[in-house]
Each structure stands twice: as C-alpha cells, then as structure tokens.
Amino acid sequence: MHILRSQREISQMRKAGLLVWKAHQVAAELVKPGATTGEIDAAVEEFFEAHRAIPLFKGVPGKVPFPAVCCISVNDEVVHGIPGKRVLREGDVVSIDTGCKYEGWCGDSAITRPVGQIEPEVQRLLDVTDGVLQLAIDLMGKRSRWSEVASEMGTYVRDAGFSVVESFVGHGIGREMHEDPQVPNFVSAQLRRNGDFALEPGLVIAVEPMVNMGSKHVKSLPDYWTQATQDAKPSAHFEHTIAITENGPWVLTGAPREGEEIPS
Ligand code: MG
Ligand code: MG
C-alpha cells in the first residue's frame, strides 16, 4: 500500500522538485553538438552538491552500481543510459533523467531534448511523449482511478502511431525515490487485477512515459544498465513528480511559480 502525504509534506517535496527542475536547466545549457554526456552529468552533480542535495541515482544497486547522477540516453537508448565520453551530434535526441533528495524528500524528473536541428518525425516523437505526460497530469485531476488515466495515455500514443514502452513504469515517490504504487503508462492485466489505485489528495507519484517511434520492445546493452530499442529507432522519455492536492495536481518538478525560489 502507498502512503498519502499531508499538504505540509507535499510542500517539503516541492523543494526537492524545484532543485531537480533547476538541475535540468543547468543540463539544458550543455545540450549542444560537441558536448559529452559526461560533461552534462558533471554539471548536474556539481549543482546538487552546491545546494546540499543528495543525488538519488549514483550507487543505485545493479550488476554494477549506477555510476552517475543522471541517466542520459541518446536516440535509440530508452532509459538508464550511463553518461560518459559519448559526444552529442546535431540531430540527436538526448533524454536526461535525474533526481535528488533534499531535507529528506525526493524529486525525480526526465526530459528529452533535441541537439540542434532534428528530423520533423523525431520532433513529433518528443511532442507526443511530452504531450502524453501533460495529458496524464491533466487527467489526474479529473479521473478517479489510475487505470482510467493509463488507458487514455495508451490510446493517445497509439493514435499518434507510436508505441508505449511496457518494460518500465513510473512509481510512488516520497522519502525514497521508488515507493509503491507502480505507475504504468498503459493498462496491463496486473493493473486491472490488483495494481490500480485511487487518485486522491495526498498521492505523490512519478509519471514517466517512454515512447518508441517503432516497436515497444527494448533490450539491455552490455553495460548492464542502458536500455535501447530493439529496432534501433528513436525513443523519448519525459517524467514529472506530481502530487494530487485539494486544488488539483501539482507538478512538483515543474518550473517555479511567481514568488517561489530555488532552495539555496
Ligand atoms: Mg527519473
Ligand atoms: Mg522515476
């Protein structure tokens, strides 16, 4: 069972969310032809350190512990790419996923950005993936169960001619990055059977659609972490940490509103 958070706790989580939002702005400055994914990761790590935020991804257990503060996945890489010497080139798309813990609360967000000029069909993939996340956020304030949102997300992506990745899902988030419930971007038998949950005030989840231009199938690369499309076609990934409040959904990793400041 998942935990519902008080308005006060959600406001605390907003601080971590603002830091993650700002980290993405720092990263965006470096997304250009010639930059390496390792340089982007180093800038985000420095930002978190300067703000006394604990990076959440570094050291995540696996066959080898995850070695960086961002997952950076380029083109056909879907998620969990390891930053390093790879040089970004004009026409690439780069998914940057990062999270931090601040004063005991977590935030997690991902954005896929174009490197210079990209193909129109790849831009459409980015727009549809961002669009399906925005749809989910909107519906979180209008539907009563997650399965209703997941169903509409699946339809939205299918109607665009793309595929929702089913191997990875979003998650509850709070004191830890990965908490209950699981948050799939599609309706599965498991969701229908016993995975569904109510959209009620206090729920805080990370919603993270991954959309492939071709088939939904992914494969693991030999580095033990990177997931790539089997058909080598591009993939996109967008994620926000979202709370449901009495006033509707609050995107905790969204841009600061008037009067809000990035925690120093
Ligand atoms: Mg993430
Ligand atoms: Mg996540």
Side-chain angles (χ1 to χ4, degrees), residues 108 171 208 239:
D108 182 12
H171 47 92
E208 50 180 312
E239 175 182 27

Side-chain angles (χ1 to χ4, degrees), residues 4-23:
L4 297 177
R5 308 292 180 184
S6 69
Q7 189 64 40
R8 206 187 121 268
E9 290 173 320
I10 291 170
S11 297
Q12 291 290 114
M13 288 190 73
R14 172 60 168 160
K15 295 181 191 173
L18 281 168
L19 286 167
V20 171
W21 175 83
K22 183 66 182 179

Side-chain angles (χ1 to χ4, degrees), residues 2-5 9-10 13 16-17 20 56-57 97-102 104-109 140 170-183 197 202-208 239-244 250 252-253:
H2 57 272
I3 302 166
L4 297 177
R5 308 292 180 184
E9 290 173 320
I10 291 170
M13 288 190 73
V20 171
L56 287 172
F57 292 11
D97 186 356
T98 195
C100 75
K101 186 182 268 193
Y102 184 75
W105 295 97
C106 298
D108 182 12
S109 171
M140 281 173 69
H171 47 92
I173 179 167
R175 290 291 189 183
E176 304 298 328
M177 174 167 60
H178 292 136
E179 297 186 353
D180 285 341
Q182 290 202 353
V183 184
F197 53 91
L203 181 75
V204 188
I205 55 177
V207 180
E208 50 180 312
E239 175 182 27
H240 272 306
T241 296
I242 305 144
I244 299 184
W250 184 6
L252 299 179
T253 44

